[in-house]
Amino acid sequence: MNSITNDTAVTGSPAAPAPHVTRTPLWRNPQYRAWFTADTASGVGLAMKGFAISLIAFSLTHSLPAAGWLATASVIAAQVADVFGGTLVDRHHRKRLIILNAVCGTVLWGVVFVLLATGLLTFPVFAVIIVTASTINGLFGGATNAMLRSIIPTADYPKAQSLNQGRDSVIGLAGSPLGGMLYAFGAWAPFAAASLMYAVAGVSAGMLRVDEHVRDAIGRNGERGNANATTDATVSARGSFVDDFVAGWRWTLRRRTLMAICTIAALLNFGINGIFAAVQLQMVGSGVDSVRIGFVSTAVGTGLLVGAVIAARVCDRMEVGTGLVVMSLVALATMVPMLVSHAYPVILVSSLLCGLPIPTINSLVMGFVFAKVPTDMQGRVDSFTNLLGMLPTMFCSAIAGSLLPTIGFRMTVTLFLLALAANVAIVLAMPTLRTIPSADRWDEAEL
């Protein structure tokens, strides 16, 4: 990354010193409240239908591999679409994309609800809808996070991220158990709830009043341009979709620290998500009831909620490198008990402990990247880093579903634990990662 030494270089404001401005608290910012409501509704909708997908797939096919591969296909579709979605997000009005994504979610999950309620749903139709919805979300879903940069100042992002982590923890606590209870009431119920939540997200996004033309003052490669230039002139100076797409990849791949962060994210995501995919599919295949399966996510959510409280207190002053080391060690240590036993209490305790450090490290790492990436590059960098960080994770459900019937739960978990062990070795061996400073010294660090 080209060195960015102050916030004015990131936001495109004039280089001259600006007078002190008292920032409005996040909750008093009506635009942030509307954004938060839209993002929360989408998250609840995701939790509602996400829990039921494997259960529906298994009920339609009675096959763990089929259930696992459907989950994998949806992740692959979302990640591939997200690669191009980041460029779309940077080239178009993000508010409109948020609303479009919400409308599509409302319609698609509404269709699943109707087909399930009438007994007309088949596995091929279900698979097509799942993959289609994942593709649409991959194309437009990144607009929500990218738009946050136009709503709050960079200095507020670590705090906003800790709030988001707490919100996500509450969704994790309530979402999956509620989804399990809804599923027990009727297989169609979680999808009806998801459709409703996406509708709420669309209405909330419609209340946003953000002037996104501020992004036009920034050049295509993240450099500040003439803030007084007209929108038409800026748009005409932009390259084609392909030019912007390539520019985003070039910018991202040239940042060594960012690439190292993507590597450890890939290993952490693969290890943790792989273990939880194995846990869920093992329970589904063993006939465990949906409510008990949902409480595994509740345990994770409890850990995340407690972790979010911790993050809110330490994210402003903890060094990012320290957080990375702690997260890597804790992730490995908390998952090891599942190697010894897959008893339900062991799974619950490990799930709870695993969630504790995640909000802090997410706030630190995402805040660091957010602060160092120019405003008009947020969509592309987010999509590209998501792809790199999630690439192995795309196959977690398929791997778990294929290995469980052949080598059993313990050996399947061992495979994913090896990824977590490799991550620990990399983090400890790379001073570039271990020396990323705290937020007040991010201007000294290179991305």
Side-chain angles (χ1 to χ4, degrees), residues 361-420:
I361 195 59
N362 279 349
S363 297
L364 293 172
V365 173
M366 293 176 66
F368 176 65
V369 174
F370 176 89
K372 306 297 284 188
V373 175
T375 302
D376 79 321
M377 297 285 289
Q378 290 284 327
R380 281 168 287 178
V381 173
D382 185 56
S383 67
F384 299 155
T385 54
N386 278 345
L387 175 66
L388 296 174
M390 293 293 293
L391 189 60
T393 308
M394 294 182 189
F395 302 95
C396 283
S397 293
I399 292 172
S402 299
L403 292 182
L404 282 171
T406 56
I407 65 176
F409 181 81
R410 183 171 299 176
M411 291 303 297
T412 302
V413 169
T414 299
L415 170 67
F416 296 114
L417 281 174
L418 289 175
L420 296 179

Side-chain angles (χ1 to χ4, degrees), residues 255-320:
R255 271 65 194 177
R256 294 183 180 180
T257 302
L258 185 57
M259 289 298 95
I261 289 173
C262 289
T263 299
I264 65 170
L267 290 170
L268 280 171
N269 287 332
F270 180 74
I272 294 175
N273 286 286
I275 290 173
F276 283 117
V279 167
Q280 185 180 41
L281 289 173
Q282 173 74 12
M283 289 183 170
V284 170
S286 300
V288 177
D289 67 88
S290 60
V291 176
R292 282 168 59 88
I293 297 174
F295 275 114
V296 174
S297 295
T298 300
V300 178
T302 302
L304 290 172
L305 184 58
V306 175
V309 175
I310 298 172
R313 295 178 177 273
V314 304
C315 65
D316 291 335
R317 57 182 183 272
M318 177 178 281
E319 294 185 351
V320 178

